[in-house]
Amino acid sequence: MLSNKIIDKLNEQINCEFYSSNLYLQMSSWCDNQGLEGCAMFLANHSKEEMGHMNRLFSYVNECGSMVKLGDIKAPPTEYASVTEVFEEIYKHELFVTKLINELVEAAFSEKDFSTFNFLQWYVGEQHEEEKLFKAIIDKIKIIGADGRGLFHFDEQMKQLYAGRQLDGAGEPGFNG
Ligand SMILES: [Fe+2]
Ligand SMILES: [Fe+2]
């Protein structure tokens, strides 16, 4: 049995995961438009992962005998100055998501809702992985460079990262460069 406060916060998190999914899908189209095939593939796939995060929450709320309430999802930005900006924005967004998850965990704990507290531990671990992944990508951009041949090489790396995540079901960054 979920309290109204926890239901509201879980619904908010569902909305946030939808937004993350749309944000990365939009960025994937931006990359595709710039001829960055690898980045586009990686981001379209990551958009699907965010839908997985949404679905996990969706099922949990239903299993608890509560009803999900889907709200408006704000439109993501469509313009970016560079691929560096795209990944910096993602990293910032993931830090924001971590903050929301932490607030949700704190609310569950203070309400003694230990079932939700336990359920949320997966998200705590996942946010650690997300931050690590996007920090590694930004580091890679800094090393390779994101103009001229560097940009081509970076995009090739993203293609490999995408392929690696397909094989191991989305885990370690696994750069080969
Ligand atoms: Fe997520
Ligand atoms: Fe994420």
Side-chain angles (χ1 to χ4, degrees), residues 17 20 50 53 94 97 127 130:
E17 302 293 349
S20 302
E50 297 295 347
H53 301 171
E94 290 295 342
V97 176
Q127 281 313 116
E130 295 277 76

Side-chain angles (χ1 to χ4, degrees), residues 63-88:
E63 282 163 17
C64 291
S66 300
M67 195 182 77
V68 169
K69 284 184 189 160
L70 300 178
D72 290 342
I73 305 156
K74 74 171 179 186
T78 55
E79 298 298 327
Y80 299 94
S82 63
V83 75
T84 308
E85 189 188 346
V86 167
F87 284 100
E88 279 172 349

Side-chain angles (χ1 to χ4, degrees), residues 13 16-17 20-21 24 46 49-51 53-54 94 97 101 122-123 126-127 130:
Q13 194 59 41
C16 172
E17 302 293 349
S20 302
S21 180
Y24 301 159
H46 213 77
E49 288 185 22
E50 297 295 347
M51 283 304 280
H53 301 171
M54 187 286 296
E94 290 295 342
V97 176
I101 293 292
W122 183 87
Y123 287 85
E126 177 63 13
Q127 281 313 116
E130 295 277 76

Side-chain angles (χ1 to χ4, degrees), residues 111-125:
E111 297 225 345
K112 295 191 169 59
D113 179 348
F114 297 117
S115 167
T116 301
F117 180 79
N118 179 55
F119 166 75
L120 289 170
Q121 298 313 303
W122 183 87
Y123 287 85
V124 172

Side-chain angles (χ1 to χ4, degrees), residues 157-172:
Q157 290 280 309
M158 292 306 289
K159 211 177 276 179
Q160 286 177 26
L161 181 56
Y162 161 76
R165 286 175 76 80
Q166 291 298 101
L167 284 176
D168 67 13
E172 295 300 301

